[in-house]
């Protein structure tokens, strides 16, 4: 293998190079690779072929890069503090091809024309101690293994592929420009800054574009951005079809992540295809292109936003260029224009002498600081290796490439208001500038509109007022934003595409929290359809302080007072005929039941509790049913005395003997108490918060409870009432003093009507006042009994005592008997 390398090097590097722009002698030699000519795209070869760069298109930008390296070396050699009494030299090659420029690389890693791969690292001394370049990711990836296998520092100024940060594959690779990871992160931040989420990504079929596309797809996965269209372009790409597809997808933001040559082709094709009003985001490779902004019609394609390294001037560079141009002009005058110097392969540049100083100075400055800091990085590392102070270096120290690499990792020094330092992957601190193309002016120019720095702290900002659209930012989203109160609904294909649905009642959408969800309002809140926030509900229940509540409670208090007064009145006149005709001792049970039934009304007011919900219904249901059983047996007993005693004397005697009236009341009381216990234990009524009836109110009420058990309780009461009506009808022709058919019928009809009205109202009216109606229904039932049954008797006792005598009652009985006998 060694003879092959020696033969190849002897073949390609036999001519000793005179001092020129491409080479300079010095104590330590640096290598430089620059694209002074732009080669054609790689083609398949069937025979070996050496490349001659001068046959291809001349690049002003590449020549400017070469001059920046020469300027930096001269500045360092003239410095009294950096590498004092040590001179740097260089060997520069025109690197115009991705795959065919190996002669220059082999020259760098050789020693005296030969390469010894098996030589131990600490004994190996290649031609150069370090090198910078080449430009481009694919070009760098092609040659990097040859350089890094010997740990020669490859301080690159123009390769941003993130794969080069892999230290296992490229251990000695260091770069002075941010990696694609940082660049893609910057592009995503710009897209997010303007609220776009529907973008196209155009690139080339090379490592640079493929790496950028891969990183872009990775980083947008959780960013809310969707890649609507992507394509790796080539020389045979149908650009018209590409732009038709982009228009069909309604994409207005296009990221062009390609090398300068391909980016130029894309922009020129956009002009030719009359693409209008797009936003173009330019990667750093072409964001400062000096020719594209001058293309006729470029102002119609839209807005071009570029990303580049922060503009940093190089003090003294312009003077250096003017001095060099004068030297070139003098050399041309003395030796004759067109005379070709004796140089090695790919160190020829016929067009270089034709450039003016202004053309070099005004060329694309994107990579000038990268090259400048690369040379200073190597110089500072060598300064450390040679243990230099401000005056002298230790020339007895032998500097090896791997020693420089070790020191480069530790560097941290200021350079033209920038801090030069590298992370563990050999990547630098980031200082991006966001620039806007002004193509409408003549000549076109670039304005800085934003910045992104990571040192000394992370800062990102864009001045929107400097952009042409100001507040009317171009729209580039898959779906238009939903109207207020509408939530998004995911599309099946893209997360950025969605439909809009109106949030239903009692829900809202919070775009800052989750625009895809209609969040339910809390129980104490409400909202209309299409709301973005909930409102507090007003809590409604029968309060004790309301006028209607006070009225009902006052009425209930009066009722209880009257019933107690009647109870006392009857007790004082217990042995009188009126009290005995009213039921005797049973009338006291009846009055007590009515008093207890009235107590239930007091549980309808105030905030409902579990105890209130049970007591308000159970107390009334039980005691009023007991009252009705007394009323029923009392009606039956009067009929029995006057009509059935004579016809069925044995049955009457049994009824009297065994206190049939008390057995009847006791029987139904037991049945009634069992049904009430079931009602209270099987799904009892509980406090209920009604959220449905009124959108803006939360009504506190009580559930009705189990339907079956409450039906049992109601059936007992209604059945006893029915018996009362039957018996009162049978006794309609009894003596006047004993004839209570009209009063009982009136009170029971009022009872039935009250509850029919209540249940009708319950089905139609849903508000807190349904509880008021319930309380009033209970009161009306009791008032009906009071005024039709007890008040007339009390009136006789108080105001007509002459009718409350045995003689008066006896006269009524005799009159009834005579009437019956005549019939």
């Amino acid at each position: 293998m060694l003879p092959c390398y020696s033969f190849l090097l002897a073949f390609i590097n036999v001519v000793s190079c005179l001092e020129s722009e491409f080479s300079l002698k010095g104590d330590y030699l640096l290598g430089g690779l620059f694209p002074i000519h732009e080669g054609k795209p790689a083609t398949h070869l069937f025979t070996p072929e050496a490349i001659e760069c001068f046959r291809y298109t001349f690049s002003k930008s590449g020549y400017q890069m070469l001059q920046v390296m020469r300027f930096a070396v001269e500045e360092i050699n003239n410095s009294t503090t950096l590498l004092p009494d040590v001179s740097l030299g260089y060997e520069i090659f025109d690197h115009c091809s991705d795959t065919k420029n190996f002669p220059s690389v082999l020259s760098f890693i050789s020693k005296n024309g030969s390469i010894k791969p098996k030589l131990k690292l600490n004994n190996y001394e290649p031609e150069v101690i370090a090198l910078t370049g080449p430009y481009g990711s694919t070009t760098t990836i092609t040659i990097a293994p040859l350089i890094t296998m010997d740990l020669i520092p490859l301080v690159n100024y123009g390769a941003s592929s993130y794969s080069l940060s892999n230290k296992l594959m490229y251990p000695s690779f260091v770069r002075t420009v941010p990696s694609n990871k940082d660049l893609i992160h910057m592009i995503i931040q710009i897209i997010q800054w303007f609220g776009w989420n529907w973008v196209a990504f155009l690139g080339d079929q090379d490592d640079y574009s493929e790496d950028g596309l891969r990183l872009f797809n990775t980083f947008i996965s959780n960013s809310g951005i969707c890649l609507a269209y992507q394509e790796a372009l080539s020389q045979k790409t149908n650009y018209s079809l590409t732009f038709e597809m982009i228009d069909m997808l309604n994409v207005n933001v296009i990221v062009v992540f390609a090398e300068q040559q391909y980016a130029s082709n894309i922009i020129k094709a956009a002009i030719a295809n009359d693409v209008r009003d797009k936003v173009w985001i330019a990667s750093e490779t072409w964001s400062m292109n000096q020719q594209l902004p001058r293309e006729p019609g470029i102002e119609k394609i839209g807005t071009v936003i570029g990303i580049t390294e922060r503009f940093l001037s190089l003090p003294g560079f312009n003077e250096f260029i003017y001095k060099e141009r004068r030297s070139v002009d003098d050399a041309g005058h003395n030796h004759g224009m067109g005379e070709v110097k004796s140089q090695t392969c790919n160190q020829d540049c016929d067009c270089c002498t034709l450039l003016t100083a202004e053309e070099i100075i005004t060329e694309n400055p994107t990579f000038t600081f990268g090259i400048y800091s690369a040379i200073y990085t190597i110089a500072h590392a060598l300064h450390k290796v040679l243990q230099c102070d401000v005056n002298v270096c230790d020339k007895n120290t032998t500097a090896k490439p791997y020693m420089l690499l070790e020191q480069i990792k530790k560097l941290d020094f200021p350079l033209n208001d920038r801090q030069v330092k590298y992370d563990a992957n050999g990547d630098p601190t980031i200082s991006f500038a966001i620039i806007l193309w002004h193509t409408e002016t003549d000549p076109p120019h670039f304005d800085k509109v934003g910045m992104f720095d990571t040192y000394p702290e992370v800062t990102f900002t864009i001045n929107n007022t400097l952009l042409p659209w100001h507040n009317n930012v171009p729209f580039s989203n898959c779906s238009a934003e939903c109207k207020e109160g509408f939530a998004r609904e995911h599309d099946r294909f893209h997360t950025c595409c969605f439909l809009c649905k109106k949030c239903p009642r009692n829900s809202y959408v919070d775009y800052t929290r989750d625009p895809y969800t209609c969040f339910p309002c809390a129980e104490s809140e409400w909202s209309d359809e299409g709301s973005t926030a909930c409102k507090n509900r007003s809590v409604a229940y029968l309060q004790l302080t309301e006028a209607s509540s006070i009225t009902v409670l006052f009425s209930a208090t009066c009722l209880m007072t009257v019933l107690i007064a009647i109870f006392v009145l009857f007790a004082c006149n217990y042995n009188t005929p009126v009290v005995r005709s009213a039921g005797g001792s049973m009338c006291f049970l009846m009055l007590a039941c009515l008093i207890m039934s009235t107590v239930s009304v007091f549980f309808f007011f105030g905030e409902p509790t579990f105890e209130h919900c049970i007591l308000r219904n159970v107390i009334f249901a039980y005691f009023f049913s007991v009252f009705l059983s007394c009323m029923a047996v009392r009606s039956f007993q009067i009929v029995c005395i006057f009509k059935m005693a004579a016809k069925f004397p044995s049955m009457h005697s049994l009824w009297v003997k065994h206190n049939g009236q008390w057995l009847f009341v006791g029987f139904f009381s037991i049945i009634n108490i069992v049904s009430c216990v079931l009602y209270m234990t099987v799904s009892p009524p509980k406090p209920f918060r009604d959220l449905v009836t009124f959108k803006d109110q939360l009504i506190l009420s009580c559930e009705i409870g189990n339907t079956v058990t409450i039906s049992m309780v109601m059936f007992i009461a209604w059945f006893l009432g029915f018996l009362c009506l039957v018996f009162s009808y049978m006794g309609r022709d009894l003596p006047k003093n004993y004839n209570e058919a009209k009063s009982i019928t009136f009170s029971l009809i009022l009872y039935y009507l009250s509850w029919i009205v209540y249940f009708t109202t319950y089905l139609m009216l849903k508000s807190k006042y349904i509880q008021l109606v319930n309380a009033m229904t209970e009161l009306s039932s009791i008032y009906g009994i009071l005024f039709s049954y007890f008040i007339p008797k009390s009136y006789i006792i108080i105001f007509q005592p002459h009718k409350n005598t045995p003689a008066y009652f006896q006269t009524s009985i005799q009159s009834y008997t005579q009437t019956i006998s005549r019939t």
Side-chain angles (χ1 to χ4, degrees), residues 403-420:
M403 297 178 181
L404 265 69
L405 180 62
E406 184 180 357
Q407 293 300 326
I408 288 174
K409 296 176 181 178
K410 304 175 184 178
L411 289 178
D412 187 356
F413 63 93
L415 183 66
N416 285 19
D417 298 326
R418 278 273 295 275
Q419 200 69 19
V420 179

Side-chain angles (χ1 to χ4, degrees), residues 19 108 111 137 172 177 181 260 315 347 393 423 436 517 574 612 634 641 644 690 727 790:
E19 284 198 21
F108 286 151
K111 181 65 175 179
S137 295
S172 65
V177 292
K181 176 184 176 182
Q260 187 166 262
Q347 289 182 318
C393 295
D423 61 18
L436 174 69
T517 303
Y574 177 72
H612 283 192
R634 180 62 188 156
I641 292 172
M644 298 180 66
D690 184 1
F727 293 142
F790 288 103

